């Protein structure tokens, strides 16, 4: 009996020891990453990094959890999980180096950017792929969906056709320096708003709210994507007068911006697309927003990114916006691209989106289907090569 008890005690002791050493290993790694002497105090140079964060599709369900105080130990164990994820290890190495060496030394390499633009144009005719036009479809034509079974179809009606532009709104349009703003929680508290306001053209993703968050993300919007499922998620399918008014007012704020509506990616958009079409037909002439309805373009977009070893089930809206921007802009800066649940500057927990309600838990749901870490790694590489500028830090 005594022997059994002592063996049991020994086993428990070993397990405890193992857990303890694991925890301290992780803490050492964390300290190594975030408290390099150079940047240890807030007086040091701002960390300038990459950050990525495109989100797309329906917004992840809002999980509520403990609101205010997060115990230090919680952060530790959260970080532990992130660091022990094998998919994440190569990235942290690059990040560490980047933090130490290249903090604010980014320099634009126009040659490299122009080369990439040329390469992209071999796979994608952006101006053409940007939207269907009235002359490119006929009434009764059956559209398929990029990401759904071929059996699903959408029949083009008079109303839908009447909402299409005569010509691509970006044909022969060229902008100097553009911002593509992802929706990552890393923007929370960044105070990047005024910096973002200064770009010649601002791309945003998924009709993300700006007004309330303008200090961090700015208000100016020249293009925003609009997944039809947003109507379901945020505007109650336009079922009440109040919902319709709210939606109308949100659109009015966009002024003459482009609303880029990918209606043919998922068959689940079909019903909401009809609701959306009816709404726009009813309000014809009352809104300045320009509608763009891309057709089945993902095949072409994917073909290009495959050459960069990127072939997730779905590309993110962020990288899709970058692809469009590459043909329209001379230089591109990315904000809000950071698909991880911790702040690379402070190690603190982050929400998934900058507009998530306080306390919304980070979810890896979209990371998995989009392979956001792989996209991020590629964008970070492009940042180090000077093709794009990724901002992961707070703005001065
Ligand atoms: C730092 O910048 C140099 C070029 O200035 C680049 O060659 C190197 O890969 C960068 N390193 C990291 C980790 O970003
Ligand atoms: C800019 O990019 C080109 C093409 O990728 C490369 O050959 C050149 O060395 C780069 N210039 C600098 C200053 O890094
Ligand atoms: C997209 O661009 C490709 C390449 O130029 C072209 O072959 C294709 O027809 C376009 N598709 C759409 C839907 O615009
Ligand atoms: C971008 O949008 C702002 C308003 O949000 C507008 O003042 C500006 O003219 C637009 N720029 C372009 C190039 O359309």
């Amino acid at each position: 009996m005594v022997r059994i008890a002592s063996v049991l005690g020994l086993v428990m002791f070993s397990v405890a020891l193992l857990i303890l050493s694991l925890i301290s290993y992780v803490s050492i790694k964390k300290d190594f990453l975030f408290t390099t002497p150079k940047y240890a105090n807030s007086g040091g140079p701002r960390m300038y990094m990459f950050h990525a964060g495109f989100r797309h599709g329906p917004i992840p369900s809002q999980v509520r959890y403990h609101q205010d105080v997060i115990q230090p130990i919680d952060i530790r164990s959260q970080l532990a999980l992130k660091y022990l994820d094998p998919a994440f290890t190569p990235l942290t190495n690059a990040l560490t180096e980047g933090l130490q060496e290249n903090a604010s030394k980014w320099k634009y390499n126009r040659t490299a950017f122009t080369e990439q633009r040329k390469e992209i144009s071999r796979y994608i005719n952006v101006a053409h792929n940007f939207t269907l036009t009235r002359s490119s479809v006929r009434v009764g034509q059956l559209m398929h969906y990029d990401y759904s079974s071929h059996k699903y179809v959408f029949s083009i009606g008079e109303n839908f056709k009447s909402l299409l532009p005569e010509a691509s709104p970006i044909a022969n349009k060229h902008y100097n320096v553009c911002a593509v703003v992802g929706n990552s929680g890393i923007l929370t508290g960044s105070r990047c708003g005024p910096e973002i306001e200064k770009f010649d053209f601002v791309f945003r993703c998924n009709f993300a709210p700006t007004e309330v968050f303008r200090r961090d993300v700015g208000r100016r919007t020249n293009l925003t994507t609009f997944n039809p499922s947003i109507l379901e998620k945020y505007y109650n399918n336009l079922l009440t007068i109040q919902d319709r008014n709210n939606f109308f007012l949100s659109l009015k704020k966009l002024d003459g911006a482009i609303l880029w509506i990918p209606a043919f990616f998922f068959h689940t958009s079909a019903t909401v697309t009809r609701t959306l079409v009816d709404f726009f037909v009813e309000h014809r002439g009352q809104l300045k927003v320009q509608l763009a309805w891309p057709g089945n373009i993902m095949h072409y977009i994917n073909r290009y990114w495959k050459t960069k070893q990127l072939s997730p089930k779905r590309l993110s809206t962020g990288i899709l916006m970058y692809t469009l921007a590459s043909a329209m802009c001379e230089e591109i800066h990315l904000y809000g691209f950071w698909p991880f649940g911790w702040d690379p500057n402070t190690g603190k927990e982050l929400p998934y989106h900058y507009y998530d309600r306080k306390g919304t838990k980070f979810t890896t749901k979209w990371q998995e289907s989009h392979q956001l870490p792989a996209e991020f790694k590629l964008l970070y590489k492009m940042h180090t090569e000077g093709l794009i500028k990724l901002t992961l830090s707070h703005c001065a």
Side-chain angles (χ1 to χ4, degrees):
M1 212 51 205
V2 175
R3 272 187 72 142
I4 290 173
S6 69
V7 166
L8 214 69
L10 199 68
V11 167
M12 279 160 73
F13 179 71
S14 319
V15 168
L17 211 65
L18 194 72
I19 289 172
L20 272 173
S21 54
L22 212 75
I23 289 173
S24 56
Y25 169 72
V26 164
S27 332
I28 288 163
K29 260 197 112 163
K30 178 193 175 246
D31 293 345
F32 175 57
L33 235 185
F34 297 117
T35 46
T36 59
K38 213 163 150 197
Y39 304 112
N41 50 50
S42 50
R46 289 275 180 186
M47 283 166 208
Y48 229 94
M49 311 193 322
F50 23 67
H51 57 28
F54 7 60
R55 301 29 277 225
H56 137 330
I59 279 77
S61 59
Q62 318 244 302
V63 187
R64 304 211 117 227
Y65 74 131
H66 53 274
Q67 284 271 35
D68 315 300
V69 195
I70 297 151
Q71 313 294 329
I73 190 70
D74 283 341
I75 296 172
R76 278 284 149 90
S77 52
Q78 290 272 338
L79 281 165
L81 282 175
K82 299 274 141 56
Y83 284 126
L84 295 173
D85 176 354
F88 195 70
T89 314
L91 185 61
T92 54
N93 296 337
L95 278 174
T96 312
E97 280 171 45
L99 276 170
Q100 289 170 341
E101 294 168 23
N102 292 357
S104 54
K105 283 190 284 180
W106 181 84
K107 212 168 165 293
Y108 181 48
N109 185 334
R110 187 176 295 277
T111 315
F113 176 75
T114 309
E115 267 172 24
Q116 192 196 38
R117 166 198 280 173
K118 245 189 248 151
E119 225 179 297
I120 291 179
S121 73
R122 272 196 252 127
Y123 294 87
I124 307 145
N125 178 340
V126 169
H128 179 211
N129 280 183
F130 190 82
T131 180
L132 299 170
T133 57
R134 246 171 269 174
S135 56
S136 70
V137 299
R138 58 187 165 69
V139 170
Q141 180 181 339
L142 297 182
M143 296 291 294
H144 293 274
Y145 297 91
D146 286 355
Y147 292 112
S148 297
S149 150
H150 201 69
K151 71 183 178 188
Y152 293 107
V153 290
F154 183 94
S155 160
I156 303 265
E158 282 292 354
N159 278 346
F160 179 80
K161 187 172 169 175
S162 75
L163 294 173
L164 295 176
E166 296 276 10
S168 173
I170 60 155
N172 307 314
K173 290 269 165 55
H174 298 284
Y175 306 103
N176 191 17
V177 191
C178 301
V180 180
V181 185
N183 294 338
S184 166
I186 199 170
L187 282 170
T188 302
S190 70
R191 301 190 177 233
C192 286
E195 196 173 304
I196 292 171
E197 296 274 297
K198 288 191 197 129
F199 286 89
D200 300 306
F201 197 98
V202 179
F203 292 82
R204 295 187 193 269
C205 301
N206 275 330
F207 212 51
T210 51
E211 198 69 30
V212 187
F213 306 97
R214 60 181 178 272
R215 208 181 60 178
D216 294 333
V217 306
R219 272 198 317 214
R220 177 180 195 141
T221 301
N222 297 104
L223 181 153
T224 183
T225 68
F226 187 93
N227 188 324
S229 67
I230 291 167
L231 276 194
E232 222 168 344
K233 221 44 195 182
Y234 293 106
Y235 297 95
N236 187 31
N237 281 316
L238 304 183
L239 286 173
T240 70
I241 291 174
Q242 179 79 56
D243 299 324
R244 297 163 68 83
N245 284 344
N246 288 345
F247 185 49
F248 185 85
L249 290 175
S250 306
L251 289 170
K252 200 142 182 102
K253 284 193 199 117
L254 281 178
D255 213 23
I258 297 170
L259 195 67
W260 197 80
I261 312 168
F264 304 110
F265 288 3
F266 298 95
H267 73 279
T268 46
S269 301
T271 310
V272 270
T273 298
R274 301 221 178 267
T275 307
L276 192 61
V277 166
D278 289 348
F279 181 89
F280 284 129
V281 167
E282 278 164 49
H283 296 276
R284 202 191 294 281
Q286 296 168 17
L287 289 162
K288 281 196 260 173
V289 68
Q290 306 178 64
L291 305 184
W293 306 79
N296 301 120
I297 61 170
M298 288 316 293
H299 169 69
Y300 304 98
I301 312 269
N302 286 333
R303 265 195 337 179
Y304 169 73
W305 291 106
K306 239 187 192 150
T307 69
K308 303 280 162 223
Q309 281 72 53
L310 201 62
S311 42
K313 277 178 263 170
R314 283 170 65 185
L315 286 173
S316 72
T317 300
I319 208 152
L320 182 52
M321 286 304 103
Y322 173 74
T323 315
L324 302 182
S326 72
M328 298 161 61
C329 309
E330 289 307 315
E331 184 178 326
I332 301 170
H333 294 204
L334 307 187
Y335 294 83
F337 282 69
W338 173 256
F340 307 108
W342 50 280
D343 185 321
N345 306 294
T346 62
K348 287 209 190 100
E349 265 188 85
L350 286 180
Y352 197 60
H353 300 114
Y354 68 79
Y355 47 79
D356 284 342
R357 255 179 309 173
K358 201 164 179 255
T360 302
K361 207 164 174 55
F362 185 85
T363 167
T364 55
K365 195 164 107 188
W366 300 106
Q367 271 191 10
E368 283 145 22
S369 58
H370 288 111
Q371 286 181 8
L372 296 182
E375 281 189 8
F376 178 78
K377 258 190 273 184
L378 179 59
L379 292 172
Y380 176 61
K381 183 165 167 281
M382 285 158 57
H383 168 83
T384 59
E385 292 167 356
L387 271 83
I388 55 166
K389 182 174 179 184
L390 268 165
T391 295
L392 286 182
S393 58
H394 286 193
C395 294

